[in-house]
Amino acid sequence: MNVTYLTKEIESIRNGASPAGAERTDHHRQLFEVFRKIENALAVNPDPDAPETAARIDGLIEAQTVVIRTAATLPARSTEDLLYKLAIWRWDSPDLDKPVNEMNRADAIAYTAFRDLANILSDDSALKETDHSN
């Protein structure tokens, strides 16, 4: 996965997120999809000891950081925006890959609010596999 391409894709999404009065699109969903693409690319490690692998991983993690910072600066304008904004938070939080009763208090309440929102919207596309059984 080309980090330069990812950066351009993220920048395009950010530029398309116009002021509140403009026509709406699903910028947070798009950012979540880019985040997931990067997540999938990070899961592929052909040669973990190769120097180019470390550089590739560093670039992908930096691209994820750009996605997170971009999502944080774009206001949510709908419940769907909230879901995908929270989905980016959830997918970037490996501490949430455990039962709710093992999470710290703040994570437990935010995590369950995220899951409740997904249920209210009948949209489980933002959930991780472990979220279905939690």
Side-chain angles (χ1 to χ4, degrees):
M1 176 161 285
N2 185 309
V3 175
T4 304
Y5 169 77
L6 286 170
T7 304
K8 288 180 183 175
E9 186 174 1
I10 296 163
E11 187 63 30
S12 173
I13 294 168
R14 180 186 343 207
N15 290 340
S18 49
E23 190 174 313
R24 274 282 309 131
T25 60
D26 56 351
H27 299 98
H28 288 286
R29 179 188 287 259
Q30 292 172 5
L31 288 168
F32 175 68
E33 289 169 0
V34 172
F35 188 91
R36 290 294 320 279
K37 277 197 266 186
I38 298 168
E39 191 77 12
N40 290 336
L42 284 167
V44 176
N45 275 330
D47 183 3
D49 297 326
E52 60 273 6
T53 300
R56 177 182 154 277
I57 289 171
D58 288 346
L60 290 170
I61 291 171
E62 178 57 33
Q64 278 188 325
T65 300
V66 173
V67 168
I68 291 167
R69 300 279 186 227
T70 301
T73 63
L74 294 177
R77 297 187 183 121
S78 68
T79 52
E80 289 81 10
D81 281 351
L82 286 173
L83 176 64
Y84 287 100
K85 196 171 194 174
L86 286 169
I88 294 168
W89 160 79
R90 191 278 172 261
W91 279 78
D92 192 51
S93 303
D95 289 346
L96 302 179
D97 293 339
K98 57 186 170 188
V100 173
N101 62 351
E102 294 177 17
M103 294 177 189
N104 72 50
R105 297 180 318 179
D107 284 346
I109 195 71
Y111 171 77
T112 57
F114 160 69
R115 274 197 3 238
D116 291 347
L117 183 57
N119 287 334
I120 289 168
L121 296 174
S122 299
D123 185 350
D124 65 357
S125 66
L127 302 178
K128 278 185 154 183
E129 196 60 40
T130 58
D131 298 332
H132 295 283
S133 61
N134 204 353

